[in-house]
């Protein structure tokens, strides 16, 4: 008869190690902490409330776009169209408000409807036509870019009504000036965190990303989950577009051309697996802030923007490597 282990047995070092959070969970926190400590020592201006508020404003648009990108990547997909779809939505919002004279809120709803429609189109092509997400979103990226240039005639829209710029307004918290857009971004992250962790649709999304066939056998409508995920992602692209308009006070047809890779960078740095099924939405927020901290800190220390891009690339490779090691360990 095998010897029974008593309840008071001390766990072995191996068991203690296995109970520790994975490197993909701890990584974003450690990276952010080290970056803050390093740049605080390099510049007296870095560690101030106003500077951190500036960092949050700088990552605002990418942060909200990255919510949609995170949802897509959690299902095992990817969306290359995020920035260009957002740009099309901003042109619809601004031109409808300025040239057609529609009420600002209605103009915003029209712009968000366009971005949501693109998300629905992505999901439809992936679930019904069975095309790979990479190919589908690469195609819709080019379609959105072309439509933006055609509709805007490559002209920037100015003279926007104040209601379109609401999220760029500020309030004071002590001596720190904070924009309402930052509050909205944090609120959206908390909402999505709750939905992913505490609701059945959130758990279904993780299940589909982890093993689609097993999820289907469990009775989860995998195709519907994917379609809804891409559609909701498009909704967030529209919200990000409104935040961009509020921050820049113009409708820019050339906006969003780097956000595709920047959102993927934020998602990967935040610990979400590119293979789907694993990740934290709040980690994506940390990932976006990490990029913002590095760019802000390097700027304050006088480092060229070229090296900022270089360091960001290195961080992405390290994050993906950590994800691979964690997957092999699992």
């Amino acid at each position: 008869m095998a010897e029974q282990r008593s309840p008071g047995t001390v766990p072995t070092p191996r068991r203690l190690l296995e109970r520790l959070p994975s490197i993909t969970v701890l990584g974003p926190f450690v990276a952010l902490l080290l970056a803050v400590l390093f740049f605080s020592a390099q510049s007296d201006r870095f560690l101030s409330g106003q500077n951190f508020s500036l960092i949050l404003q700088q990552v605002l648009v990418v942060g909200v776009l990255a919510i949609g990108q995170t949802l897509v990547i959690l299902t095992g997909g990817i969306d290359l169209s995020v920035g260009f779809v957002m740009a099309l939505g901003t042109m619809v919002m601004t031109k409808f408000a300025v040239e057609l004279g529609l009420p600002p809120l209605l103009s915003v709803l029209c712009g968000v409807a366009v971005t949501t429609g693109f998300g629905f189109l992505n999901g439809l092509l992936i679930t019904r036509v069975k095309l790979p997400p990479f190919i589908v979103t690469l195609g819709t990226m080019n379609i959105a870019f072309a439509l933006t240039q055609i509709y805007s005639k490559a002209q920037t829209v100015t003279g926007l009504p104040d209601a379109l710029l609401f999220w760029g307004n500020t309030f004071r918290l002590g001596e720190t000036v904070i924009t309402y857009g930052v509050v909205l971004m944090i609120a959206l992250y908390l909402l999505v965190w709750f939905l992913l962790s505490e609701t059945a649709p959130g758990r279904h999304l993780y299940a589909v990303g982890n093993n689609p066939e097993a999820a289907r056998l469990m009775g989860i409508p995998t195709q519907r989950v994917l379609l809804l995920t891409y559609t909701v992602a498009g909704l967030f692209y529209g919200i990000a577009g409104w935040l961009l308009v509020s921050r820049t006070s113009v409708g820019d047809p050339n906006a969003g051309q780097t956000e595709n890779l920047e959102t993927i960078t934020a998602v990967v740095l935040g610990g979400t697996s590119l293979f789907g099924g694993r990740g934290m939405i709040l980690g994506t927020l940390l990932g976006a802030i990490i990029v913002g901290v590095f760019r802000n800190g390097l700027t304050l220390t006088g480092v060229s923007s070229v090296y900022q891009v270089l360091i960001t690339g290195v961080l992405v490779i390290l994050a993906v490597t950590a994800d691979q090691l964690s997957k092999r360990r699992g």
Side-chain angles (χ1 to χ4, degrees):
M1 184 174 179
E3 181 181 354
Q4 298 293 323
R5 177 175 295 180
S6 64
T9 302
V10 178
T12 64
R14 179 185 178 89
R15 288 182 175 273
L16 289 173
L17 185 62
E18 290 175 349
R19 292 179 184 177
L20 291 175
S22 68
I23 190 171
T24 56
V25 174
L26 291 177
F29 295 97
V30 174
L32 181 59
L33 177 61
L34 292 177
V36 169
L37 292 176
F38 175 78
F39 290 119
S40 298
Q42 298 299 312
S43 173
D44 296 335
R45 294 179 294 167
F46 181 81
L47 200 59
S48 67
Q50 192 56 47
N51 189 54
F52 279 111
S53 175
L54 177 61
I55 292 172
L56 289 175
Q57 293 176 47
Q58 291 171 339
V59 304
L60 180 62
V61 175
V62 171
V64 175
L65 284 173
I67 296 176
Q69 186 74 270
T70 302
L71 297 177
V72 170
I73 290 179
L74 281 173
T75 66
I78 197 165
D79 193 344
L80 302 179
S81 68
V82 291
F84 295 95
V85 169
M86 176 195 71
L88 179 58
T90 63
M91 295 312 301
V92 171
M93 294 177 195
T94 54
K95 287 179 75 71
F96 276 28
V98 174
E99 297 184 3
L100 299 183
L102 293 182
L105 182 57
L106 181 57
S107 300
V108 169
L109 291 176
C110 291
V112 173
V114 169
T115 62
T116 305
F118 261 86
F120 179 78
L121 176 62
N122 286 336
L124 203 63
L125 292 172
I126 290 167
T127 58
R128 304 305 180 193
V129 188
K130 306 299 182 183
L131 296 176
F134 182 90
I135 299 301
V136 169
T137 57
L138 181 64
T140 53
M141 175 189 78
N142 287 282
I143 293 171
F145 173 73
L147 290 177
T148 300
Q149 298 301 315
I150 293 169
Y151 181 55
S152 67
K153 298 178 181 176
Q155 299 295 315
T156 300
V157 180
T158 58
L160 306 181
D162 292 339
L164 273 182
L165 310 179
F166 170 77
W167 299 112
N169 295 332
T170 61
F171 65 95
R172 284 191 171 273
L173 189 62
E175 296 184 355
T176 303
V177 177
I178 301 173
T179 65
Y180 288 105
V182 169
V183 177
L184 176 62
M185 176 184 70
I186 294 173
L188 289 174
Y189 268 96
L190 292 176
L191 173 63
V192 175
W193 168 79
F194 174 81
L195 293 175
L196 287 177
S197 59
E198 301 296 331
T199 67
R203 291 188 287 272
H204 290 173
L205 188 145
Y206 276 102
V208 170
N210 187 52
N211 191 323
E213 183 60 21
R216 186 186 66 81
L217 293 175
M218 290 171 58
I220 296 175
T222 57
Q223 301 303 303
R224 188 185 308 168
V225 169
L226 288 174
L227 180 60
L228 181 60
T229 298
Y230 281 89
T231 304
V232 171
L235 172 65
F236 281 109
Y237 305 157
I239 296 173
W242 189 9
L243 291 172
L244 177 63
V245 169
S246 295
R247 190 167 189 271
T248 60
S249 301
V250 297
D252 183 5
N254 297 313
Q257 298 191 15
T258 62
E259 272 76 355
N260 301 336
L261 294 179
E262 289 181 5
T263 57
I264 297 173
T265 299
V267 173
V268 171
L269 289 179
T272 296
S273 173
L274 286 174
F275 303 99
R278 292 184 296 122
M280 308 178 300
I281 188 65
L282 296 182
T284 297
L285 176 59
L286 287 179
I289 294 174
I290 289 170
V291 175
V293 164
F294 268 91
R295 289 182 175 174
N296 178 271
L298 292 172
T299 299
L300 290 178
T301 54
V303 177
S304 170
S305 60
V306 174
Y307 291 99
Q308 297 177 26
V309 176
L310 172 65
I311 292 174
T312 302
V314 172
L315 289 174
V316 171
I317 293 174
L318 290 176
V320 175
T321 301
D323 178 42
Q324 284 278 34
L325 293 175
S326 177
K327 184 180 180 182
R328 291 174 185 173
R329 175 185 170 190

